[in-house]
Amino acid sequence: MAKKRVPLWPPGDESSKNPDDEPNFSDPDDFDDDIPDEELLEDLLPQKPSETEGVDSIIVIDGVPKVEPKRLEKLQSVIEKIYGKFGTIVSKSYPQDSNGMTIGYVFFEYSDPTSALNAVKQANNYKIDKVHTFKVNLFSDFKKYENIPEDWKPPEPQRFQPFTDLHNYLLDPDAYDQFCIAVGSNGGAPNVQIWQNCQPEPVCVEDRARWTDTYVKWSPLGTYLATFHKLGVALWGGSNFTQQMRFLQRGVECIDFSPNERYLVTYSPRAEADEKRLVMWDILTGQEKRSFLPEGPNVWPIFRWSHNDKYVAYMGEDVLSVYETPSFGLLDKKSIKIPGIRDFSWSPTDNIIAFWVPEDKDVPARVTLMEIPSRNEIRKNNIFNVADCKIFWQKSGDYLCVKVDRFAKKKEKTEQKYTESCKFQTLQHFQGMSYNFEIFHMREKLTPVDSLEIKEPIHAFAWEPVGNKFAIIHGETSSVNVSFYEVRCGHRPTLLKKLEKKACNHLFWSPSGQFIVLAGLTTMSGALEFIDTNDFTIMNLTDHYQTSDVEWDPTGRYVVTSVASWKTSVDNGYWLWTFQGRILKRVNLHQFHQFMWRPRPPTLLTPEQIKDIKKNLKKYSAQFESKDRLRLTRASKELIEKRCALMKEFESYRADCIERWNKQKKRRMELRQNIDTDELDSDTKNMDEEVVEFFVKEETFEEK
């Protein structure tokens, strides 16, 4: 490139140049610089600051309490603790008036714009107390809102887009339920199918290849189907299962819906240090409500919901933290200190938490019932010699059972051991185990507690979902028994029936109560026993070899037993049974992964209406039987029509073949030297059969 030479002195006589004069570096007026910056400053341009650098990293926090100078340090520590978790704060400013009082807003500058944006998204509307709520904005937003045009124009009306009917499946006139199955595809992502359990044959309503990367899950009320992908989770719903929402979070392995399907919790246990691990989302808007970094070993679900989605609780070391929605702020801004807390569970119908604490020196173990948000302890029950506890709520919330594993016998002062504190300490040795069931009557005054003791190993416990019975599997492995008890107001649990020597290790109650399946899973090769607990009639005793899962449909009319590929690679598939144990269908599927009935929301009928329907069920039976006969007749008619259509199609095809055969006869005669081979074939058919015998082999054996 040709470059113009710029003289250091003004043009003129060379003799007029004085070495002592300062050089002139100014360009002449007509000078044209045609060298671009990219060529002259190639190494410096990447470091050129942008116009918004520094501005987009600044946030403005409004709604800050106005405090005097002596309280400023405490205020700073509180605010910086809240907003410091989003990134590195490089500068901060707390404007004050002439008296040193803060004036209600502060400025924070982060090291990068992403941290500032996260602070606005996650910490806006943060409630610090009953009076003050922080409002957070980017500093650049002020300039944007200053340039609002004075001539306001109303927005153009948008065409109404109706929302997808997410509950259309409930409008089926015959109330058929739906179920979902996932089947592997040559080791890749599974194919997912949605079926309607019609009679006499189920009908596939949706079939998609590679719909999910791992598995699927229904929401608690059946509104959404969740699928898992590398980039996050997607929710599907409506008549055609269109995508309703997606949540971007890499490596999600576990999800948990709130009971009313308002919120979703996603968990990525293998997330990197700089990635989010546990996030809570608003399902309707897709907005991230809050994220957490749970520490230490946790049992899923880590956060547990109250029945009405109003609270969610997390158990830490010696604390129970309860957060309220929709702000997801800590209830009363402080956790509940419970030294030694081991486990907790929400009531399925009330905002009551049950938790237990182990023994500590001379203080006995205890089970406590606590109301939320008042934190009042409505009942506390002390228990002794405790090894472990398990909490079981009845579905209607009428009863709570706490299974207590106890040391049966205790021998004191049997041995002394020298401890690190240079003192001898008496050790206590325990012999044997016993098991107690503490039954809390939640609907009775003062919440009375009954105790039931069983001195045999306990394998399973399950409440009847609708009713006041519970079942226990107990006994040694070689001789397992099943006992049924009934709980009544003002009475101890009453033994109704004891079934001895049963091959089972799991209990599956019907969602409507009364019926139960005793199943021998894993090591018991799939033994099944269908029982009516009204009179304890064994309706059927059968098996499904290597059964891995048992699923009742939401109405309690059908049961599905399945063998998934995660347990064995042979005989994968599912079998459909009636509630009485009569087999209806056997479906074998290669690489079968998962079977799930679609849940239904709670009925709108009152308990009185349900009771009246059951009382007058015979009156409705005639209608149901008439529909069943009509359905079978329709199915038979459709089958006959289908067979007639196939027969007509075959006869038409046969007539065409005969016509072509006749047309080709002349050509056959030419190819076979005018010999009618067709007639020869007919003559051969009329000939008598000829028997031909020939020698095959002969062997001779000598007797010894």
Side-chain angles (χ1 to χ4, degrees):
M1 178 184 295
K3 298 181 175 57
K4 296 181 180 180
R5 181 176 179 274
V6 181
L8 299 180
W9 283 269
D13 189 4
E14 294 293 333
S15 61
S16 64
K17 298 176 183 178
N18 188 352
D20 296 333
D21 293 341
E22 295 183 359
N24 182 11
F25 293 98
S26 300
D27 294 329
D29 295 338
D30 59 346
F31 176 73
D32 182 18
D33 187 2
D34 56 356
I35 304 177
D37 291 341
E38 288 75 6
E39 183 177 344
L40 293 175
L41 306 172
E42 183 178 0
D43 56 337
L44 297 178
L45 280 180
Q47 304 175 13
K48 179 182 178 181
S50 62
E51 296 181 2
T52 59
E53 186 172 347
V55 177
D56 284 348
S57 300
I58 299 175
I59 64 171
V60 183
I61 307 173
D62 202 358
V64 176
K66 298 180 180 180
V67 298
E68 59 272 12
K70 64 180 181 180
R71 297 177 56 193
L72 178 60
E73 183 178 354
K74 183 177 180 180
L75 177 65
Q76 290 176 341
S77 64
V78 172
I79 298 178
E80 291 168 14
K81 181 179 179 181
I82 297 172
Y83 293 93
K85 61 185 179 181
F86 300 107
T88 303
I89 301 175
V90 296
S91 66
K92 50 202 171 186
S93 174
Y94 293 81
Q96 299 170 331
D97 60 14
S98 57
N99 297 324
M101 293 279 292
T102 58
I103 56 180
Y105 55 87
V106 299
F107 298 89
F108 281 177
E109 181 181 358
Y110 288 94
S111 58
D112 58 272
T114 304
S115 300
L117 189 61
N118 290 336
V120 173
K121 287 183 177 181
Q122 300 183 36
N124 188 28
N125 294 320
Y126 187 92
K127 191 173 183 181
I128 190 172
D129 55 33
K130 295 182 180 179
V131 180
H132 299 90
T133 301
F134 291 157
K135 301 291 184 181
V136 188
N137 293 280
L138 293 173
F139 186 79
S140 57
D141 289 342
F142 287 87
K143 185 177 181 180
K144 179 176 66 175
Y145 294 125
E146 282 178 354
N147 298 327
I148 298 177
E150 296 182 359
D151 298 333
W152 179 81
K153 294 182 179 180
E156 294 291 333
Q158 300 294 322
R159 183 178 180 182
F160 174 72
Q161 297 291 340
F163 287 98
T164 304
D165 183 7
L166 299 177
H167 301 95
N168 65 306
Y169 68 99
L170 298 174
L171 302 178
D172 186 84
D174 293 316
Y176 289 133
D177 285 295
Q178 294 183 354
F179 59 86
C180 169
I181 62 173
V183 183
S185 177
N186 296 326
N191 301 332
V192 180
Q193 300 174 346
I194 311 295
W195 291 77
Q196 191 170 27
N197 191 33
C198 302
Q199 295 297 330
E201 290 293 328
V203 175
C204 183
V205 297
E206 198 71 30
D207 186 358
R208 299 186 189 179
R210 305 178 64 85
W211 198 354
T212 182
D213 289 343
T214 52
Y215 66 101
V216 295
K217 183 177 181 179
W218 290 108
S219 59
L221 305 181
T223 306
Y224 304 102
L225 178 70
T227 58
F228 294 74
H229 309 274
K230 293 180 180 179
L231 298 180
V233 177
L235 300 185
W236 310 79
S239 57
N240 298 321
F241 287 93
T242 56
Q243 187 178 110
Q244 303 300 316
M245 192 60 64
R246 61 178 181 175
F247 306 95
L248 299 179
Q249 180 184 345
R250 289 183 177 273
V252 175
E253 296 183 14
C254 303
I255 64 172
D256 183 39
F257 288 90
S258 62
N260 292 332
E261 301 180 342
R262 179 64 194 274
Y263 304 103
L264 177 70
V265 183
T266 57
Y267 182 48
S268 302
R270 297 180 177 85
E272 300 294 336
D274 58 341
E275 294 180 338
K276 294 180 180 179
R277 184 165 297 179
L278 190 147
V279 184
M280 295 187 174
W281 309 85
D282 187 305
I283 290 179
L284 296 179
T285 63
Q287 179 184 4
E288 178 183 329
K289 304 299 292 185
R290 187 165 180 176
S291 62
F292 294 87
L293 289 173
E295 299 178 355
N298 295 286
V299 178
W300 186 257
I302 300 173
F303 283 79
R304 303 175 190 178
W305 293 93
S306 63
H307 75 287
N308 55 0
D309 292 6
K310 192 173 182 181
Y311 304 101
V312 62
Y314 167 73
M315 182 181 68
E317 185 175 355
D318 297 334
V319 295
L320 182 64
S321 302
V322 180
Y323 300 87
E324 56 183 342
T325 60
S327 65
F328 283 86
L330 196 60
L331 181 64
D332 295 336
K333 291 192 249 184
K334 59 182 179 180
S335 299
I336 307 172
K337 293 184 179 181
I338 309 174
I341 181 172
R342 290 288 185 86
D343 194 15
F344 78 98
S345 180
W346 286 94
S347 165
T349 55
D350 303 283
N351 288 331
I352 297 176
I353 290 179
F355 64 88
W356 79 278
V357 177
E359 295 176 275
D360 183 17
K361 298 180 181 179
D362 296 332
V363 180
R366 69 183 187 275
V367 177
T368 305
L369 299 177
M370 178 183 291
E371 278 186 326
I372 299 296
S374 66
R375 306 192 183 192
N376 293 332
E377 294 184 356
I378 59 177
R379 177 70 199 213
K380 185 186 296 184
N381 194 41
N382 293 333
I383 46 182
F384 301 90
N385 304 335
V386 177
D388 192 19
C389 287
K390 291 290 186 294
I391 300 173
F392 301 94
W393 283 96
Q394 194 228 17
K395 187 177 179 180
S396 60
D398 296 337
Y399 303 101
L400 166 68
C401 176
V402 179
K403 173 181 167 284
V404 182
D405 298 353
R406 279 181 171 160
F407 299 107
K409 296 180 181 180
K410 181 174 66 173
K411 291 184 178 181
E412 297 183 356
K413 299 180 181 179
T414 57
E415 181 183 347
Q416 289 187 333
K417 180 180 179 181
Y418 193 71
T419 62
E420 295 179 359
S421 59
C422 300
K423 294 181 181 179
F424 285 95
Q425 181 181 10
T426 301
L427 299 182
Q428 297 178 345
H429 291 268
F430 298 90
Q431 295 180 346
M433 295 287 292
S434 67
Y435 304 89
N436 279 60
F437 295 91
E438 306 292 329
I439 310 295
F440 292 74
H441 298 248
M442 301 300 299
R443 306 303 182 195
E444 298 180 32
K445 188 176 181 180
L446 302 178
T447 316
V449 181
D450 291 329
S451 183
L452 173 66
E453 182 179 7
I454 295 180
K455 296 184 179 181
E456 296 178 325
I458 304 298
H459 304 284
F461 173 94
W463 282 103
E464 183 183 21
V466 180
N468 57 349
K469 294 192 288 287
F470 63 86
I472 305 172
I473 300 178
H474 57 93
E476 300 298 333
T477 307
S478 58
S479 179
V480 174
N481 305 317
V482 182
S483 296
F484 294 88
Y485 289 85
E486 184 179 31
V487 182
R488 294 181 181 177
C489 178
H491 294 79
R492 294 173 60 84
T494 304
L495 178 63
L496 298 177
K497 186 71 173 179
K498 182 178 180 181
L499 305 176
E500 298 182 350
K501 296 183 179 180
K502 295 296 179 181
C504 63
N505 52 16
H506 287 75
L507 301 165
F508 297 97
W509 282 97
S510 165
S512 58
Q514 183 178 347
F515 304 102
I516 190 172
V517 175
L518 311 182
L521 308 184
T522 311
T523 59
M524 294 190 177
S525 301
L528 302 171
E529 194 164 349
F530 295 78
I531 297 176
D532 182 352
T533 61
N534 274 357
D535 52 8
F536 295 98
T537 303
I538 299 176
M539 298 179 292
N540 191 15
L541 181 61
T542 181
D543 63 11
H544 181 184
Y545 184 64
Q546 291 190 334
T547 297
S548 59
D549 299 283
V550 177
E551 289 272 353
W552 280 91
D553 82 314
T555 62
R557 291 179 292 181
Y558 303 98
V559 184
V560 164
T561 58
S562 58
V563 181
S565 58
W566 58 261
K567 180 179 181 182
T568 178
S569 59
V570 297
D571 296 332
N572 298 145
Y574 64 91
W575 292 5
L576 180 65
W577 313 75
T578 66
F579 69 96
Q580 297 170 322
R582 179 169 58 88
I583 187 68
L584 296 177
K585 194 175 187 64
R586 294 181 176 90
V587 180
N588 295 323
L589 297 170
H590 181 58
Q591 294 185 354
F592 170 80
H593 292 338
Q594 192 178 9
F595 181 101
M596 288 189 306
W597 289 102
R598 186 172 191 173
R600 284 178 172 265
T603 178
L604 300 178
L605 299 176
T606 63
E608 291 75 16
Q609 291 174 320
I610 296 175
K611 186 176 180 180
D612 182 67
I613 291 174
K614 289 183 177 180
K615 183 179 179 180
N616 301 305
L617 189 59
K618 291 183 179 180
K619 183 174 66 175
Y620 306 108
S621 297
Q623 303 175 15
F624 300 147
E625 291 173 358
S626 175
K627 277 191 172 183
D628 290 341
R629 286 195 298 269
L630 182 62
R631 187 181 300 113
L632 292 174
T633 303
R634 189 186 303 119
S636 301
K637 183 179 179 181
E638 292 174 356
L639 182 61
I640 292 172
E641 291 176 352
K642 183 178 180 180
R643 288 177 176 175
C644 289
L646 291 173
M647 189 64 185
K648 288 180 180 179
E649 184 179 352
F650 170 74
E651 289 177 350
S652 175
Y653 172 75
R654 186 173 184 273
D656 292 340
C657 291
I658 292 174
E659 184 179 357
R660 289 199 306 271
W661 185 73
N662 291 331
K663 289 180 179 179
Q664 295 170 356
K665 184 170 183 179
K666 182 178 179 182
R667 180 59 178 165
R668 288 199 302 274
M669 296 281 289
E670 294 175 356
L671 293 174
R672 299 171 185 175
Q673 299 178 357
N674 293 325
I675 297 175
D676 191 353
T677 55
D678 300 336
E679 296 295 333
L680 292 176
D681 292 341
S682 61
D683 293 341
T684 303
K685 292 178 183 178
N686 296 327
M687 291 173 61
D688 294 334
E689 292 184 356
E690 181 180 357
V691 179
V692 179
E693 297 181 358
F694 56 92
F695 181 76
V696 179
K697 185 178 182 182
E698 181 179 358
E699 293 183 359
T700 304
F701 297 93
E702 296 182 0
E703 295 183 0
K704 295 183 180 180

